[in-house]
Amino acid sequence: MFIKPTKNTYLYAGLFLISIATLMYEVLLTRIFSVATWYYFAFFAISLAMFGFTVGGLCVYFYPNWFSEKKLYYRLFLFSFIFAISIDLALLVFLCIPFYPRPTGVGVFSTLLVSIVIAIPFILSGIAICLCLTRFAENIGKFYAANLSGAAIGAFLVVPILNVIDAPSAVFLAALFALLGSIFFAYAQNNKVMLSRRWLLITCALVVILPALNANFKTFRVEWVKLSHNRPVKEIWNAFSRVAIYPPHYVSYPYSWGLSSEYKPKEPIAEMMMDIDGVSETVLTFFNGNKKTIEHLQYDVSALAHYLRGKGKIFIIGAGGGRDILTAHLFEQNKIIAVELNDKIVELLTGACANFTGRLDRLPGVKLLVGEGRNVLERSSEKFDIIQASCIATWSATTAGAYTLAENTLYTRESWKLFLEHLEPGGIISFTRWFSPDFPAQLLRLTSLAASSLRDCGIEDPAGHIIVVRNQLAGATPAGTILLSNEPFSKSDLDVLEKICKRFNFKIIYSPDKTYSQIFSEVIQKSNNSEFHQGYLVDISPPTDERPFFFHMLRLKDVLFKNVKLEEQRFNLQSIAMLFVLLLVAIIMTVGCILLPLLFNKDKISLKKIWPGITFFGFIGIGYMLVEVAQIQRLVIFLGHPIYSTTVVIFVLLFTSGLGALASNRITSQGKISFSRIASIMIPLFVLLAIANWAQLRYLPLLGAKHIAAKIFIVICTLMPVGFLMGFPFPLGMSIANKKDASATPWLWGINGAASVLASVLAV
């Protein structure tokens, strides 16, 4: 028997779909911003979203007549319908503008233009969501549950959708969810005129066609990448990257990390460039089975370990375009396991680009895996003669990019201790990074990390276990390779090293048998000396899992007073400067959200009356975001990738908070609500948070070897009780506010959003 839906059912469905569209649009923007600009502008996208919600709430507050009870359903339909259209239009405008903020007239204008265009959909969405959460006080818990569960589904959907279609097409799909939500709002009023108009049907048809059309024909693409017009021959998207391939070309001097000055071109070498989000480059080298075509690989400083340990087992972290695999194959290593985090790169290596690279996965002894290197090793009992990582880093934003500063858990003491434990006796860890001639901060920090990790494994004097070498090629940025072993390097090792460095004109920076560099010797000796690190020019202390920011070596004073003379750190300064700009904007926005209604409201609301509500909604916004960001950051290591961490944490917290909000409706329906009753719920929440925090610190490191499905289950069990209780405060507080002064609820909702922006920046 068919039960006819009630008016509220249509409203819940409309809010649910609008929330899906909003979260999808927000997360997808972080991906698009990372490609078009730099990873740290993912912060910018999230802040624009929260700013839009806040402005939407203030619009409802300042213009109550526009949203009177008589006009309420029509306004819900109208703003959600325009929201759907504005998503598509905002994206198209953004794709047409080469956006990159800079201190010029054009730079400032383009930044303002893009900010306004991107924020408009969030303002419209904010109005619709605010109306639902503030005008139906009797069912606030159910509406908040629909809002949070929709947001949870929206965050979850981004991952599978981006594994099938590109980000612009996914944005068009988000607009379709918004349009469906507006239709449900129209059904809530049973407005047959709105549902039958031709223009509505035409718009529906366009919104449905656009994602399908773009996914197949790539009509609308991100063409402006880092201020340059970008047209790759092939691009593939997933939830954390855009992988682009460019046409093959012939070169005399191949792409390299640390090419020897003794290399003399013989025949042109065919290469294809690949990049991630338009910045993190890797190369695909042509290989037809003839090793003479890849002889140039032996001239690279990153190949140094192969001269010391031959015919062994190799573990490569970050296969990229396959350069390290070909190098190991050239040196006739017996077994080569190469792990690549990005499944789309592996898809290209084994599919579209397989013939060009010589079908790497079919070479003798080669095994190509999709996964995070550290995570794969944790689940393995196998030991290796060489563990290698060459220039592994990315300046692109993950889906968690809004909450991170390019952390990399490969460069921590815990990781390197794990690597050392997976070495055969006398095995070598080989890491290659760029070597800045003015001051090699990255290699110094690697050296500090290596010495500390050796000490963590019980090696009291690490000086004999470390080698640092760089190339010397004029006109190119030099690279340095650090080698560390679980046993002291033997005299024969050092003799081979001396011979190879002389042959290829490599410069030995540090070796156990000679003092080439006093700086590196001092760093090794004082790797665990906190006073030494605090007084150093930059922060070269060994990173840990709790602070996995290897590439950020600037201290607060360096940012505030621009005490940065090192070229290597200038890029990091920009990302931290963006954080400070966003923090300032968030503070202004939060203060403005509080003061503007007090200054310009006709009724002149007393601050004394409203301050409990302002404090309450401000702090629950801050608290919710701090918990979310901290969990995303911590669980990256446990789950093995930021995409798992972000998706699982946001989905579980939002969905279970929705269940909590639904349960809170029973309390609000009884009418006996007070701040003391809310406090009685907050106390067990604090206890649960403390228990979850203690359990994660104590037990997660012990569970690292488990399968990803088991890990996700553990995280869900840990976060569900916390998320459930986190869903209570907002609807209960809104219910109290409705009884005291219903007209102020949109204002309080806006304060909650502004405080969330502030917290997201402060957390980082």
Side-chain angles (χ1 to χ4, degrees):
M1 182 179 176
F2 178 73
I3 301 174
K4 187 177 179 180
T6 64
K7 184 182 290 188
N8 277 354
T9 304
Y10 286 124
L11 290 174
Y12 299 147
L15 177 58
F16 177 77
L17 289 164
I18 289 292
S19 301
I20 289 177
T22 303
L23 228 294
M24 281 183 64
Y25 178 53
E26 182 180 333
V27 174
L28 289 167
L29 276 180
T30 68
R31 285 271 72 251
I32 292 172
F33 267 68
S34 180
V35 175
T37 58
W38 293 97
Y39 75 95
Y40 47 79
F41 279 101
F43 285 103
F44 190 66
I46 297 295
S47 296
L48 283 176
M50 302 307 293
F51 173 74
F53 296 152
T54 302
V55 172
L58 290 179
C59 287
V60 174
Y61 176 73
F62 278 119
Y63 303 101
N65 293 334
W66 243 68
F67 305 102
S68 62
E69 190 174 343
K70 186 178 179 182
K71 302 174 183 176
L72 181 59
Y73 290 93
Y74 177 71
R75 296 300 185 214
L76 275 172
F77 162 77
L78 180 65
F79 282 100
S80 55
F81 180 74
I82 301 173
F83 167 54
I85 299 170
S86 70
I87 288 176
D88 288 349
L89 293 178
L91 174 65
L92 295 177
V93 170
F94 179 77
L95 294 180
C96 295
I97 300 173
F99 171 70
Y100 189 80
R102 53 205 183 280
T104 64
V106 172
V108 172
F109 182 79
S110 70
T111 304
L112 288 173
L113 179 62
V114 167
S115 300
I116 292 168
V117 167
I118 293 296
I120 285 172
F122 292 113
I123 294 172
L124 297 168
S125 168
I127 290 172
I129 294 172
C130 181
L131 289 172
C132 289
L133 296 181
T134 59
R135 296 301 171 87
F136 301 97
E138 67 282 0
N139 287 307
I140 179 62
K142 291 181 179 179
F143 277 97
Y144 193 51
N147 172 228
L148 292 179
S149 56
I153 298 297
F156 176 80
L157 284 176
V158 168
V159 177
I161 287 172
L162 280 180
N163 280 324
V164 178
I165 60 177
D166 58 289
S169 300
V171 172
F172 293 141
L173 189 61
L176 176 59
F177 280 106
L179 186 67
L180 292 173
S182 70
I183 293 171
F184 274 104
F185 285 138
Y187 270 112
Q189 194 183 7
N190 196 23
N191 194 321
K192 294 178 181 179
V193 177
M194 288 189 291
L195 293 168
S196 63
R197 284 179 177 171
R198 290 181 183 176
W199 54 267
L200 176 59
L201 295 174
I202 292 169
T203 306
C204 287
L206 283 173
V207 172
V208 170
I209 290 169
L210 262 177
L213 186 71
N214 200 62
N216 285 288
F217 299 103
K218 302 292 187 291
T219 311
F220 302 103
R221 301 169 67 178
V222 181
E223 294 186 10
W224 289 102
V225 176
K226 313 295 189 284
L227 274 184
S228 299
H229 195 258
N230 184 272
R231 294 292 289 184
V233 293
K234 186 176 182 63
E235 66 173 24
I236 310 179
W237 291 76
N238 59 16
F240 56 93
S241 70
R242 185 204 72 156
V243 180
I245 298 285
Y246 299 89
H249 59 283
Y250 286 89
V251 296
S252 296
Y253 284 89
Y255 179 93
S256 70
W257 291 304
L259 190 64
S260 165
S261 60
E262 298 303 302
Y263 173 75
K264 306 301 178 198
K266 295 178 182 177
E267 293 180 359
I269 296 165
E271 295 180 340
M272 290 174 69
M273 294 308 298
M274 175 194 293
D275 67 41
I276 300 170
D277 286 3
V279 61
S280 299
E281 285 188 335
T282 186
V283 66
L284 288 85
T285 303
F286 176 74
F287 181 56
N288 59 4
N290 184 356
K291 289 187 178 180
K292 288 186 177 180
T293 62
I294 57 171
E295 281 184 343
H296 62 278
L297 295 174
Q298 65 183 308
Y299 286 82
D300 200 295
V301 73
S302 62
L304 205 57
H306 295 289
Y307 288 99
L308 302 179
R309 301 289 181 271
K311 306 291 185 181
K313 292 188 294 182
I314 314 301
F315 187 84
I316 297 170
I317 301 172
R323 200 169 177 279
D324 284 339
I325 298 174
L326 286 175
T327 303
H329 178 67
L330 177 66
F331 280 87
E332 299 181 348
Q333 300 288 6
N334 293 330
K335 185 175 183 180
I336 305 163
I337 296 178
V339 180
E340 172 53 51
L341 183 64
N342 197 317
D343 62 305
K344 296 302 180 184
I345 291 179
V346 175
E347 184 181 315
L348 287 167
L349 289 179
T350 57
C353 302
N355 289 331
F356 185 84
T357 57
R359 297 195 170 273
L360 299 175
D361 56 317
R362 298 183 187 177
L363 292 177
V366 172
K367 189 175 183 181
L368 188 56
L369 304 175
V370 176
E372 195 271 331
R374 174 176 172 177
N375 214 249
V376 172
L377 278 177
E378 281 181 334
R379 299 198 306 270
S380 171
S381 58
E382 196 169 1
K383 297 195 174 186
F384 300 90
D385 296 288
I386 299 174
I387 296 176
Q388 183 177 25
S390 302
C391 293
I392 299 299
T394 177
W395 299 115
S396 58
T398 63
T399 303
Y403 308 123
T404 62
L405 271 180
E407 81 276 17
N408 196 313
T409 54
L410 287 176
Y411 297 90
T412 68
R413 291 174 72 157
E414 291 85 349
S415 279
W416 283 39
K417 184 173 183 287
L418 176 72
F419 299 157
L420 285 164
E421 290 169 352
H422 278 77
L423 286 180
E424 293 281 7
I428 293 174
I429 295 171
S430 171
F431 267 64
T432 301
R433 292 298 315 159
W434 303 117
F435 191 99
S436 184
D438 64 341
F439 186 77
Q442 288 189 26
L443 260 296
L444 284 169
R445 195 166 207 187
L446 275 181
T447 304
S448 176
L449 175 58
S452 297
S453 304
L454 287 164
R455 286 191 168 99
D456 290 341
C457 291
I459 298 170
E460 294 182 6
D461 184 11
H465 298 250
I466 297 172
I467 293 171
V468 182
V469 179
R470 58 161 284 193
N471 72 323
Q472 302 182 92
L473 182 64
T477 303
T481 293
I482 183 169
L483 306 177
L484 67 149
S485 176
N486 52 11
E487 292 184 356
F489 285 104
S490 65
K491 186 178 185 305
S492 61
D493 286 336
L494 299 177
D495 289 342
V496 172
L497 175 72
E498 192 84 34
K499 182 180 176 182
I500 295 301
C501 289
K502 188 175 181 180
R503 176 185 167 189
F504 293 121
N505 192 29
F506 292 150
K507 183 177 181 180
I508 300 175
I509 304 300
Y510 176 82
S511 175
D513 64 340
K514 293 180 184 177
T515 304
Y516 291 93
S517 170
Q518 192 61 43
I519 298 174
F520 278 81
S521 297
E522 187 178 22
V523 167
I524 291 171
Q525 294 302 322
K526 299 181 179 179
S527 61
N528 282 358
N529 188 325
S530 58
E531 291 183 8
F532 169 72
H533 291 139
Q534 288 170 8
Y536 214 70
L537 181 62
V538 290
D539 183 7
I540 60 166
S541 61
T544 63
D545 283 352
E546 287 295 307
R547 281 186 73 236
F549 302 104
F550 173 82
F551 297 100
H552 289 271
M553 305 182 203
L554 301 177
R555 302 181 182 91
L556 187 62
K557 63 181 181 182
D558 299 320
V559 180
L560 294 177
F561 301 107
K562 295 187 177 180
N563 183 28
V564 185
K565 299 176 183 177
L566 311 177
E567 190 64 35
E568 206 177 65
Q569 295 302 308
R570 292 191 185 280
F571 186 78
N572 294 331
L573 180 64
Q574 294 172 17
S575 59
I576 299 173
M578 172 56 67
L579 261 183
F580 276 94
V581 169
L582 288 176
L583 180 60
L584 180 62
V585 170
I587 291 170
I588 293 171
M589 187 172 73
T590 306
V591 173
C593 192
I594 295 170
L595 294 181
L596 283 176
L598 291 172
L599 295 174
F600 297 103
N601 190 271
K602 295 176 183 178
D603 299 330
K604 296 292 180 186
I605 295 176
S606 168
L607 181 61
K608 189 177 180 180
K609 278 187 177 181
I610 203 71
W611 78 263
I614 292 173
T615 305
F616 177 79
F617 284 99
F619 275 105
I620 63 171
I622 290 172
Y624 199 104
M625 192 59 72
L626 287 177
V627 171
E628 186 176 288
V629 174
Q631 287 299 311
I632 288 171
Q633 190 78 46
R634 170 173 288 166
L635 294 171
V636 166
I637 297 164
F638 179 63
L639 294 176
H641 194 282
I643 189 62
Y644 295 137
S645 175
T646 309
T647 306
V648 171
V649 170
I650 291 179
F651 176 78
V652 173
L653 285 182
L654 288 177
F655 191 78
T656 54
S657 293
L659 294 177
L662 197 61
S664 75
N665 217 60
R666 293 189 176 185
I667 299 174
T668 56
S669 62
Q670 295 172 2
K672 297 178 180 179
I673 310 163
S674 63
F675 281 113
S676 60
R677 191 159 190 178
I678 297 175
S680 68
I681 295 169
M682 299 299 280
I683 291 169
L685 173 58
F686 294 149
V687 173
L688 279 174
L689 275 170
I691 292 171
N693 188 56
W694 172 80
Q696 286 175 352
L697 286 170
R698 185 175 178 84
Y699 294 110
L700 290 189
L702 305 177
L703 301 170
K706 288 191 174 294
H707 189 272
I708 184 62
K711 290 182 178 183
I712 290 173
F713 178 75
I714 291 167
V715 171
I716 291 172
C717 292
T718 305
L719 294 182
M720 274 186 69
V722 173
F724 182 77
L725 289 181
M726 285 169 67
F728 278 81
F730 182 89
L732 294 180
M734 194 58 71
S735 197
I736 294 172
N738 259 304
K739 289 183 178 180
K740 291 192 173 183
D741 185 358
S743 66
T745 52
W747 176 21
L748 298 175
W749 184 79
I751 288 171
N752 182 258
S756 297
V757 182
L758 184 63
S760 68
V761 184
L762 279 174
V764 181

